[in-house]
Amino acid sequence: MAQSKGTYRFSFGPWNIDEGADPFGPPVREPIAFSKKLKEYKTLGFDGVQFHDDDAVPDIDSKSGGEILAEAKNVKEMLSGEGLEAEFVAPRLWFAPETIDGGYTSNDAACRQYAIERSKACIDIANILGTDRIVLWLAREGTYIRESKDARVAVERIRDAINAMLAHDPKVRILIEPKPNEPVDSGVIPTIGHAIGLAYMCNDPSRVGGLIESAHSILAGLDPSDDMGYALAHDKLWSVHLNDQGGLKFDQDKSFGSYNLRRAFNQVRILEAYAYGQKGEYVGLDVKAMRTQKLEVSTKHLANSRQTFLYLLDKVTSLDKDFEERLINERDYEELDRYILCHLMGTQY
Ligand code: 3MF
Ligand code: MG
Protein backbone atom coordinates (compact mmCIF):
# COMPACT_ATOMS: atom_id res chain seq x y z
CA MET A 1 0.00 0.00 0.00
CA ALA A 2 1.23 3.46 -0.81
CA GLN A 3 2.56 5.44 2.11
CA SER A 4 1.48 9.02 2.35
CA LYS A 5 4.14 11.64 1.93
CA GLY A 6 3.82 12.58 5.57
CA THR A 7 4.88 9.15 6.80
CA TYR A 8 8.52 9.54 5.78
CA ARG A 9 10.80 11.10 8.34
CA PHE A 10 14.06 12.67 7.25
CA SER A 11 17.42 13.14 8.95
CA PHE A 12 20.83 14.63 8.28
CA GLY A 13 24.03 15.18 10.24
CA PRO A 14 25.48 18.53 11.37
CA TRP A 15 28.43 17.84 9.03
CA ASN A 16 26.01 18.30 6.13
CA ILE A 17 26.06 22.04 6.83
CA ASP A 18 29.72 22.86 6.39
CA GLU A 19 32.26 25.55 5.63
CA GLY A 20 33.16 24.33 2.17
CA ALA A 21 36.78 23.33 2.73
CA ASP A 22 38.13 20.69 0.37
CA PRO A 23 41.53 18.94 0.11
CA PHE A 24 42.71 21.81 -2.15
CA GLY A 25 41.35 24.86 -0.43
CA PRO A 26 40.37 26.37 2.90
CA PRO A 27 36.89 27.04 4.29
CA VAL A 28 34.88 29.60 2.32
CA ARG A 29 31.91 30.03 4.66
CA GLU A 30 31.68 31.08 8.30
CA PRO A 31 31.04 28.17 10.66
CA ILE A 32 27.51 27.86 12.00
CA ALA A 33 27.22 26.90 15.67
CA PHE A 34 25.71 23.50 16.45
CA SER A 35 22.82 25.09 18.36
CA LYS A 36 22.05 27.26 15.33
CA LYS A 37 22.20 24.27 13.01
CA LEU A 38 19.65 22.49 15.19
CA LYS A 39 17.26 25.37 14.65
CA GLU A 40 17.46 24.79 10.88
CA TYR A 41 16.22 21.19 10.99
CA LYS A 42 12.46 21.70 11.27
CA THR A 43 12.50 24.66 8.89
CA LEU A 44 14.14 22.46 6.28
CA GLY A 45 11.63 19.63 6.91
CA PHE A 46 13.75 17.30 9.04
CA ASP A 47 12.97 15.48 12.31
CA GLY A 48 16.10 13.42 12.94
CA VAL A 49 19.69 14.33 13.75
CA GLN A 50 22.55 12.02 12.79
CA PHE A 51 25.45 12.32 15.21
CA HIS A 52 29.08 11.49 15.44
CA ASP A 53 30.02 10.95 19.09
CA ASP A 54 32.05 14.17 19.00
CA ASP A 55 29.27 16.16 17.32
CA ALA A 56 27.46 15.57 20.61
CA VAL A 57 30.56 15.85 22.83
CA PRO A 58 33.33 17.89 21.16
CA ASP A 59 36.90 17.02 22.19
CA ILE A 60 35.57 13.77 23.59
CA ASP A 61 39.04 12.27 24.12
CA SER A 62 40.00 14.98 26.60
CA LYS A 63 36.91 14.49 28.77
CA SER A 64 36.10 12.20 31.69
CA GLY A 65 33.23 9.71 31.60
CA GLY A 66 31.20 12.00 33.85
CA GLU A 67 31.84 15.05 31.67
CA ILE A 68 30.86 13.12 28.54
CA LEU A 69 27.54 12.04 30.04
CA ALA A 70 26.76 15.53 31.35
CA GLU A 71 27.39 17.07 27.93
CA ALA A 72 25.30 14.41 26.24
CA LYS A 73 22.43 15.20 28.59
CA ASN A 74 22.69 18.84 27.63
CA VAL A 75 22.48 17.92 23.94
CA LYS A 76 19.44 15.73 24.63
CA GLU A 77 17.74 18.75 26.17
CA MET A 78 18.61 20.88 23.16
CA LEU A 79 17.09 18.21 20.89
CA SER A 80 13.92 18.02 22.94
CA GLY A 81 13.69 21.80 22.92
CA GLU A 82 13.63 21.76 19.12
CA GLY A 83 11.27 18.75 18.92
CA LEU A 84 14.04 16.67 17.32
CA GLU A 85 15.22 13.10 17.75
CA ALA A 86 18.69 11.58 17.51
CA GLU A 87 18.64 9.02 14.72
CA PHE A 88 22.00 7.42 15.51
CA VAL A 89 25.42 8.05 16.94
CA ALA A 90 28.58 6.99 15.09
CA PRO A 91 32.02 6.72 16.72
CA ARG A 92 34.37 8.97 14.74
CA LEU A 93 37.25 6.55 14.43
CA TRP A 94 39.21 8.39 11.78
CA PHE A 95 40.44 11.63 13.39
CA ALA A 96 42.44 10.76 16.48
CA PRO A 97 46.13 9.85 16.20
CA GLU A 98 45.24 6.40 17.57
CA THR A 99 43.21 5.74 14.40
CA ILE A 100 45.84 6.57 11.79
CA ASP A 101 46.09 2.89 10.82
CA GLY A 102 42.38 2.20 11.43
CA GLY A 103 40.45 1.57 14.64
CA TYR A 104 39.37 -2.02 15.15
CA THR A 105 41.85 -3.28 12.53
CA SER A 106 44.88 -1.21 13.52
CA ASN A 107 48.08 -3.23 13.71
CA ASP A 108 48.72 -1.66 17.13
CA ALA A 109 46.92 -3.44 19.99
CA ALA A 110 46.71 -0.27 22.13
CA CYS A 111 45.05 1.58 19.24
CA ARG A 112 42.56 -1.25 18.77
CA GLN A 113 41.71 -0.99 22.45
CA TYR A 114 41.23 2.78 22.08
CA ALA A 115 38.74 2.14 19.27
CA ILE A 116 36.72 -0.29 21.35
CA GLU A 117 36.65 1.97 24.41
CA ARG A 118 35.60 4.92 22.28
CA SER A 119 32.83 2.82 20.72
CA LYS A 120 31.53 1.94 24.18
CA ALA A 121 31.51 5.63 25.12
CA CYS A 122 29.60 6.26 21.90
CA ILE A 123 26.95 3.74 23.00
CA ASP A 124 26.65 5.51 26.36
CA ILE A 125 26.09 8.80 24.53
CA ALA A 126 23.48 7.17 22.28
CA ASN A 127 21.62 5.92 25.35
CA ILE A 128 21.42 9.44 26.71
CA LEU A 129 20.38 10.88 23.36
CA GLY A 130 17.61 8.27 23.25
CA THR A 131 18.63 6.10 20.31
CA ASP A 132 19.61 2.42 20.16
CA ARG A 133 21.33 2.85 16.78
CA ILE A 134 25.09 2.99 16.38
CA VAL A 135 26.38 3.52 12.85
CA LEU A 136 29.78 2.17 11.94
CA TRP A 137 31.28 3.85 8.91
CA LEU A 138 34.50 1.82 8.89
CA ALA A 139 36.52 4.69 7.46
CA ARG A 140 40.08 3.49 8.00
CA GLU A 141 39.40 -0.23 8.44
CA GLY A 142 41.36 -1.14 5.34
CA THR A 143 44.70 -0.75 3.67
CA TYR A 144 46.79 1.40 1.37
CA ILE A 145 48.92 -1.58 0.42
CA ARG A 146 47.60 -5.11 0.51
CA GLU A 147 50.47 -6.60 2.53
CA SER A 148 49.98 -4.26 5.49
CA LYS A 149 47.07 -6.17 7.05
CA ASP A 150 45.90 -9.77 7.10
CA ALA A 151 42.51 -9.65 5.32
CA ARG A 152 41.07 -12.52 7.36
CA VAL A 153 42.25 -11.17 10.70
CA ALA A 154 40.87 -7.73 9.81
CA VAL A 155 37.35 -9.13 9.40
CA GLU A 156 37.64 -11.10 12.62
CA ARG A 157 38.81 -8.01 14.49
CA ILE A 158 35.82 -6.01 13.32
CA ARG A 159 33.58 -8.91 14.39
CA ASP A 160 35.20 -8.95 17.82
CA ALA A 161 34.74 -5.20 18.19
CA ILE A 162 31.05 -5.48 17.26
CA ASN A 163 30.67 -8.32 19.75
CA ALA A 164 32.19 -6.09 22.45
CA MET A 165 29.64 -3.39 21.59
CA LEU A 166 26.74 -5.85 21.63
CA ALA A 167 27.89 -7.08 25.05
CA HIS A 168 28.27 -3.53 26.39
CA ASP A 169 24.56 -2.88 25.94
CA PRO A 170 21.94 -5.60 25.45
CA LYS A 171 19.66 -3.27 23.47
CA VAL A 172 22.09 -1.55 21.15
CA ARG A 173 21.82 -2.12 17.40
CA ILE A 174 24.79 -1.78 15.06
CA LEU A 175 24.29 -0.40 11.53
CA ILE A 176 27.28 -1.01 9.30
CA GLU A 177 27.72 1.65 6.59
CA PRO A 178 29.90 0.02 3.91
CA LYS A 179 32.18 1.97 1.57
CA PRO A 180 34.73 0.45 -0.82
CA ASN A 181 37.42 3.13 -0.65
CA GLU A 182 38.28 6.65 0.55
CA PRO A 183 40.06 7.45 2.76
CA VAL A 184 41.74 4.03 2.41
CA ASP A 185 42.48 2.38 -0.92
CA SER A 186 40.71 -0.80 -0.05
CA GLY A 187 38.08 -1.13 2.67
CA VAL A 188 37.61 -4.38 4.59
CA ILE A 189 33.80 -4.10 4.33
CA PRO A 190 33.26 -2.55 0.89
CA THR A 191 29.64 -3.51 0.14
CA ILE A 192 26.36 -4.28 1.88
CA GLY A 193 26.92 -7.96 1.07
CA HIS A 194 30.11 -7.88 3.11
CA ALA A 195 28.34 -5.98 5.90
CA ILE A 196 25.51 -8.48 6.15
CA GLY A 197 27.88 -11.43 5.99
CA LEU A 198 29.72 -9.85 8.90
CA ALA A 199 26.42 -9.37 10.76
CA TYR A 200 25.84 -13.12 10.68
CA MET A 201 29.31 -13.74 12.14
CA CYS A 202 28.44 -11.72 15.26
CA ASN A 203 27.09 -13.03 18.56
CA ASP A 204 23.62 -11.56 18.01
CA PRO A 205 23.00 -11.14 14.26
CA SER A 206 19.48 -9.81 14.95
CA ARG A 207 21.11 -6.63 16.31
CA VAL A 208 23.51 -6.04 13.41
CA GLY A 209 22.25 -4.54 10.16
CA GLY A 210 23.15 -2.02 7.51
CA LEU A 211 22.98 1.57 6.35
CA ILE A 212 23.26 2.04 2.59
CA GLU A 213 24.65 5.26 1.19
CA SER A 214 23.85 5.78 -2.50
CA ALA A 215 27.31 7.16 -3.34
CA HIS A 216 29.08 4.30 -1.57
CA SER A 217 27.20 1.71 -3.66
CA ILE A 218 28.03 3.62 -6.83
CA LEU A 219 31.71 3.81 -5.84
CA ALA A 220 31.61 0.00 -5.55
CA GLY A 221 30.20 -0.16 -9.09
CA LEU A 222 26.81 -1.27 -7.78
CA ASP A 223 23.30 0.07 -8.07
CA PRO A 224 22.04 1.59 -4.79
CA SER A 225 18.47 0.34 -5.24
CA ASP A 226 19.69 -3.21 -5.86
CA ASP A 227 21.83 -2.94 -2.73
CA MET A 228 18.76 -1.76 -0.82
CA GLY A 229 16.81 -4.74 -2.12
CA TYR A 230 19.56 -7.07 -0.91
CA ALA A 231 19.47 -5.58 2.59
CA LEU A 232 15.65 -5.58 2.62
CA ALA A 233 15.68 -9.30 1.78
CA HIS A 234 17.60 -9.80 5.03
CA ASP A 235 15.41 -7.36 6.99
CA LYS A 236 18.58 -5.41 7.56
CA LEU A 237 17.98 -2.08 5.86
CA TRP A 238 17.91 0.03 8.98
CA SER A 239 18.97 3.36 7.49
CA VAL A 240 19.95 5.02 4.24
CA HIS A 241 22.17 7.92 3.27
CA LEU A 242 20.64 9.19 0.07
CA ASN A 243 22.82 11.32 -2.18
CA ASP A 244 24.31 11.09 -5.66
CA GLN A 245 27.62 10.45 -7.30
CA GLY A 246 28.94 10.97 -10.82
CA GLY A 247 30.73 7.67 -11.33
CA LEU A 248 34.04 6.43 -10.01
CA LYS A 249 35.66 9.52 -8.55
CA PHE A 250 36.03 10.97 -5.07
CA ASP A 251 33.01 10.66 -2.76
CA GLN A 252 30.94 13.60 -3.93
CA ASP A 253 27.86 13.50 -1.69
CA LYS A 254 25.88 15.37 -4.36
CA SER A 255 22.24 16.27 -3.77
CA PHE A 256 19.89 13.32 -4.18
CA GLY A 257 19.02 12.81 -7.85
CA SER A 258 21.49 15.44 -9.04
CA TYR A 259 23.33 13.15 -11.47
CA ASN A 260 20.95 10.36 -12.24
CA LEU A 261 17.27 10.91 -11.66
CA ARG A 262 16.28 7.41 -12.75
CA ARG A 263 18.71 5.85 -10.29
CA ALA A 264 17.21 8.06 -7.57
CA PHE A 265 13.68 7.11 -8.67
CA ASN A 266 14.53 3.42 -8.26
CA GLN A 267 15.79 4.01 -4.73
CA VAL A 268 12.54 5.72 -3.75
CA ARG A 269 10.64 2.98 -5.57
CA ILE A 270 12.13 0.14 -3.57
CA LEU A 271 11.86 1.97 -0.26
CA GLU A 272 8.19 2.68 -0.95
CA ALA A 273 7.52 -0.86 -2.17
CA TYR A 274 8.69 -2.37 1.11
CA ALA A 275 7.19 0.20 3.49
CA TYR A 276 10.59 1.51 4.51
CA GLY A 277 10.14 3.82 7.47
CA GLN A 278 7.24 1.96 9.03
CA LYS A 279 9.51 0.49 11.70
CA GLY A 280 10.91 3.90 12.54
CA GLU A 281 13.66 3.95 9.92
CA TYR A 282 14.67 7.44 8.81
CA VAL A 283 15.29 8.59 5.27
CA GLY A 284 18.75 9.91 5.98
CA LEU A 285 20.58 12.25 3.66
CA ASP A 286 24.35 12.61 3.48
CA VAL A 287 24.76 15.52 1.10
CA LYS A 288 27.29 18.28 0.76
CA ALA A 289 26.67 21.88 -0.29
CA MET A 290 28.70 22.97 -3.30
CA ARG A 291 31.74 24.99 -2.29
CA THR A 292 30.43 27.78 -4.50
CA GLN A 293 27.33 28.38 -2.34
CA LYS A 294 27.26 31.54 -0.26
CA LEU A 295 26.57 31.21 3.45
CA GLU A 296 22.93 32.36 3.33
CA VAL A 297 22.06 29.66 0.77
CA SER A 298 24.26 26.87 2.06
CA THR A 299 21.42 24.60 3.25
CA LYS A 300 19.52 24.39 -0.04
CA HIS A 301 21.06 20.99 -0.86
CA LEU A 302 19.22 19.53 2.15
CA ALA A 303 15.78 20.96 1.41
CA ASN A 304 16.24 20.20 -2.29
CA SER A 305 17.23 16.57 -1.71
CA ARG A 306 14.22 16.02 0.51
CA GLN A 307 11.95 17.69 -2.03
CA THR A 308 13.39 15.54 -4.83
CA PHE A 309 12.62 12.43 -2.76
CA LEU A 310 9.01 13.56 -2.35
CA TYR A 311 8.64 14.46 -6.05
CA LEU A 312 10.01 11.05 -6.96
CA LEU A 313 7.59 9.48 -4.50
CA ASP A 314 4.80 11.05 -6.59
CA LYS A 315 6.38 9.46 -9.65
CA VAL A 316 6.49 6.09 -7.91
CA THR A 317 2.90 6.16 -6.68
CA SER A 318 1.50 7.47 -9.97
CA LEU A 319 3.04 4.70 -12.09
CA ASP A 320 0.40 2.62 -13.81
CA LYS A 321 1.11 -0.64 -11.98
CA ASP A 322 -1.24 -2.75 -14.14
CA PHE A 323 0.38 -1.50 -17.31
CA GLU A 324 3.81 -2.11 -15.85
CA GLU A 325 2.83 -5.65 -14.91
CA ARG A 326 1.40 -6.30 -18.37
CA LEU A 327 4.65 -5.22 -20.01
CA ILE A 328 6.60 -7.43 -17.62
CA ASN A 329 4.34 -10.39 -18.35
CA GLU A 330 4.74 -9.78 -22.07
CA ARG A 331 8.50 -9.46 -21.54
CA ASP A 332 8.37 -6.20 -23.47
CA TYR A 333 11.12 -4.48 -21.53
CA GLU A 334 11.82 -2.04 -24.39
CA GLU A 335 8.33 -0.67 -23.93
CA LEU A 336 8.71 -0.70 -20.15
CA ASP A 337 11.91 1.32 -20.51
CA ARG A 338 10.11 3.85 -22.69
CA TYR A 339 7.15 4.03 -20.33
CA ILE A 340 9.39 4.71 -17.33
CA LEU A 341 11.35 7.40 -19.20
CA CYS A 342 8.20 9.14 -20.42
CA HIS A 343 6.75 8.96 -16.92
CA LEU A 344 9.90 10.48 -15.41
CA MET A 345 10.07 13.22 -18.03
CA GLY A 346 6.39 13.99 -17.65
CA THR A 347 5.87 13.71 -21.42
CA GLN A 348 2.80 12.22 -22.99
CA TYR A 349 3.25 8.46 -23.26
C1 3MF B 1 31.66 9.03 4.63
C2 3MF B 1 30.32 9.01 5.23
C3 3MF B 1 30.27 9.45 6.68
C4 3MF B 1 29.23 8.68 7.47
C5 3MF B 1 29.11 9.24 8.84
C6 3MF B 1 28.08 8.56 9.69
C7 3MF B 1 30.96 11.64 7.27
O1 3MF B 1 31.64 8.73 3.30
O2 3MF B 1 29.35 8.74 4.59
O3 3MF B 1 29.99 10.82 6.70
O4 3MF B 1 28.00 8.70 6.85
O5 3MF B 1 30.33 9.12 9.46
O6 3MF B 1 28.31 7.23 9.79
MG1 MG C 1 27.26 8.48 4.88
Side-chain angles (χ1 to χ4, degrees), residues 15 50 52 88 90 94 135-137 177 179 182 211 213 216 241 251 253 286:
W15 63 90
Q50 308 168 15
H52 292 123
F88 65 72
W94 54 93
V135 167
L136 296 184
W137 169 47
E177 179 180 348
K179 186 177 181 184
E182 201 197 36
L211 178 159
E213 173 160 327
H216 297 180
H241 273 177
D251 185 5
D253 294 338
D286 197 356

Side-chain angles (χ1 to χ4, degrees), residues 23-35:
F24 305 98
V28 289
R29 293 183 286 264
E30 286 301 311
I32 297 176
F34 175 67
S35 56

Side-chain angles (χ1 to χ4, degrees), residues 50-72:
Q50 308 168 15
F51 280 95
H52 292 123
D53 49 5
D54 59 358
D55 292 321
V57 183
D59 301 320
I60 186 170
D61 287 330
S62 69
K63 290 175 181 159
S64 70
E67 283 169 329
I68 292 173
L69 299 187
E71 284 196 32

Side-chain angles (χ1 to χ4, degrees), residues 53-221:
D53 49 5
D54 59 358
D55 292 321
V57 183
D59 301 320
I60 186 170
D61 287 330
S62 69
K63 290 175 181 159
S64 70
E67 283 169 329
I68 292 173
L69 299 187
E71 284 196 32
K73 276 187 192 139
N74 189 31
V75 173
K76 171 67 179 163
E77 273 168 36
M78 289 166 78
L79 287 176
S80 305
E82 301 295 337
L84 296 170
E85 228 180 57
E87 185 201 352
F88 65 72
V89 188
R92 197 196 294 270
L93 294 174
W94 54 93
F95 252 64
E98 290 89 340
T99 59
I100 287 173
D101 189 28
Y104 314 132
T105 65
S106 169
N107 282 324
D108 180 324
C111 292
R112 292 199 298 276
Q113 198 51 41
Y114 163 86
I116 290 179
E117 292 313 317
R118 174 120 178 209
S119 304
K120 289 181 186 167
C122 179
I123 295 173
D124 299 340
I125 293 171
N127 274 323
I128 292 177
L129 297 188
T131 176
D132 61 1
R133 293 167 222 186
I134 298 294
V135 167
L136 296 184
W137 169 47
L138 300 165
R140 298 192 189 278
E141 313 301 355
T143 56
Y144 299 99
I145 60 160
R146 191 131 278 106
E147 297 82 1
S148 64
K149 285 181 188 169
D150 179 316
R152 175 181 173 158
V153 170
V155 176
E156 292 168 348
R157 283 183 170 158
I158 301 175
R159 175 203 60 196
D160 294 346
I162 293 176
N163 282 340
M165 286 181 249
L166 294 172
H168 183 69
D169 178 340
K171 293 182 308 307
V172 75
R173 292 192 291 155
I174 308 294
L175 286 64
I176 302 170
E177 179 180 348
K179 186 177 181 184
N181 59 276
E182 201 197 36
V184 290
D185 275 18
S186 220
V188 179
I189 306 296
T191 70
I192 193 65
H194 293 78
I196 289 178
L198 175 60
Y200 291 126
M201 289 167 69
C202 295
N203 286 342
D204 185 356
S206 72
R207 289 195 286 138
V208 187
L211 178 159
I212 292 180
E213 173 160 327
S214 324
H216 297 180
S217 292
I218 297 161
L219 284 170

